[in-house]
Amino acid sequence: MNTTEEFYEIIASAIAVKKELVDENLTYQEIPEWDSMSHLLIVEALEQFYHIKFDFNDILEMGTVGKIREKMKKYEVFVEN
């Protein structure tokens, strides 16, 4: 099982922020650390950790942490609390 804590840690690490800043409502470009370049770092980190490959349209639609979690279900990665 994949956990929310693990999921948040991966995102926080990818954009070099404290895990406490990451929650479902964190939005792309809401903080300076989550810019277009770091968005790709998040994608890469999640792909490597969960052994998946996001398609281009999914990457474009990942505007919040919550949307990223929803997109991951498409790849049969379910992040539970």
Side-chain angles (χ1 to χ4, degrees):
M1 177 170 66
N2 304 298
T3 66
T4 297
E5 183 174 339
E6 177 182 78
F7 175 61
Y8 287 173
E9 284 179 9
I10 293 166
I11 292 172
S13 178
I15 60 176
V17 298
K18 293 181 180 180
K19 186 176 73 175
E20 294 75 23
L21 287 176
V22 179
D23 64 20
E24 297 299 297
N25 300 316
L26 183 62
T27 304
Y28 171 68
Q29 295 187 332
E30 178 181 346
I31 57 176
E33 292 86 353
W34 190 359
D35 60 13
S36 58
M37 182 59 92
S38 60
H39 187 73
L40 296 176
L41 295 174
I42 292 171
V43 169
E44 180 181 28
L46 293 171
E47 286 179 339
Q48 287 181 359
F49 189 85
Y50 295 110
H51 306 288
I52 58 176
K53 182 75 175 159
F54 293 107
D55 75 29
F56 184 70
N57 289 330
D58 288 337
I59 293 169
L60 294 177
E61 295 171 2
M62 294 176 175
T64 67
V65 171
K67 286 196 179 250
I68 293 172
R69 182 196 297 254
E70 287 300 311
K71 290 293 180 187
M72 291 176 57
K73 291 179 184 176
K74 177 179 175 182
Y75 303 92
E76 299 184 4
V77 175
F78 301 94
V79 178
E80 306 294 333
N81 292 328

